[in-house]
Amino acid sequence: MAELIVALDVPSPEAVPPVLSKLGETVGWYKIGLELFCAGGPAVVESVAGAGKRIFLDLKLHDIPRTVARAVTAAARLRVELMTLHAAGGRAMIAAAAEAARACPADQRPKLLAVTMLTSLEQDDLGDLGIGRTMPDQVAALATMALESGADGVVCSPREVGRLRTLLPSDALLVTPGVRPAGTATGDQKRVATPGAAVRDGSTHLVVGRPILEAPDPAAAARAILAEMRA
Ligand code: C5P
């Protein structure tokens, strides 16, 4: 059964409790990204975890292997269950992060998700980065390398998820942002899919922000998305 993760894209720790109270028991998972983590630090992670919620810490780590490994160990102490790192950090960095995760106590072992190519990049940007492959081939190559190196899964757009499902091990986590229920605003997301399509194509976790946070009744919006995921 795929899981729904709400992107806690709010500017300050003070903005978190109203979201948690509006969504209540409907939502069990929250993604904390760079904005909220820079504003609220580890305390904000602890407060969301303390409310009984599961945490996806989306800091997209990219540094030398030792530094990333130590960040994984520190995040695990915050009871983070999912966290991101850039596949472009390479095999040694991912392997060091995976080893750090394995060394954590079993009930505090974060799963590592590799970010392949940022969805803000386009084919034309690849030349500037010295990459000769097409975008789909680059995404597939980085995802495969990341899983071989010890990552548990990848973050991918709904457009990529079907192909990655066939290429990666069957237990790979495929975490998909860019999800928009039919008839809702896409905002700045260009490559979107409905919750039903994302799950059908193989997503294990759907990350949804604005369609829930900006809805007149956020809990009802989340329930509708969950119903579509399960249908
Ligand atoms: O509001 P929305 O549903 O677009 O939020 C999606 C969340 O997923 C945001 O936190 C965004 O930063 C994140 N994300 C994304 N695309 C990626 C990786 C992360 O939209 N490729």
Side-chain angles (χ1 to χ4, degrees):
M1 177 63 70
E3 304 266 5
L4 173 64
I5 304 177
V6 170
L8 208 39
D9 292 333
V10 295
S12 69
E14 293 72 37
V16 170
V19 174
L20 297 193
S21 83
K22 272 186 216 149
L23 291 173
E25 296 304 309
T26 309
V27 172
W29 276 95
Y30 286 93
K31 178 172 88 74
I32 295 175
L34 281 171
E35 180 188 18
L36 183 57
F37 193 76
C38 288
V44 81
V45 178
E46 284 165 337
S47 76
V48 179
K53 302 304 178 185
R54 305 177 75 178
I55 310 284
F56 170 13
L57 186 62
D58 184 20
L59 301 182
K60 299 186 176 67
L61 306 177
H62 189 174
D63 209 316
I64 59 172
R66 178 177 188 271
T67 301
V68 170
R70 291 164 80 101
V72 169
T73 304
R77 289 195 202 106
L78 298 173
R79 310 240 164 210
V80 165
E81 290 187 62
L82 287 173
M83 60 190 298
T84 45
L85 72 191
H86 269 285
R91 287 184 192 273
M93 185 200 82
I94 298 167
E99 194 184 325
R102 275 196 302 275
C104 296
D107 63 340
Q108 290 179 25
R109 194 169 290 160
K111 296 237 162 94
L112 303 178
L113 302 172
V115 173
T116 57
M117 299 303 290
L118 294 171
T119 45
S120 50
L121 295 173
E122 295 177 314
Q123 184 68 43
D124 287 349
D125 296 309
L126 296 190
D128 293 335
L129 300 175
I131 297 166
R133 294 187 183 115
T134 64
M135 184 67 86
D137 286 352
Q138 177 68 4
V139 167
L142 285 175
T144 303
M145 179 276 288
L147 271 284
E148 284 170 3
S149 306
D152 298 286
V154 295
V155 180
C156 61
S157 86
R159 191 177 289 189
E160 294 155 355
V161 72
R163 180 166 186 223
L164 292 178
R165 185 80 284 166
T166 63
L167 290 177
L168 300 179
S170 59
D171 60 349
L173 304 178
L174 297 178
V175 177
T176 313
V179 176
R180 291 291 179 268
T184 58
T186 56
D188 57 357
Q189 295 282 14
K190 294 199 171 60
R191 299 186 284 166
V192 301
T194 62
V199 172
R200 253 191 321 276
D201 287 345
S203 292
T204 58
H205 299 71
L206 272 51
V207 178
V208 183
R210 287 161 291 180
I212 292 174
L213 298 181
E214 294 177 0
D217 182 346
R223 280 195 297 273
I225 289 171
L226 284 164
E228 200 189 322
M229 288 166 65
R230 284 169 187 157

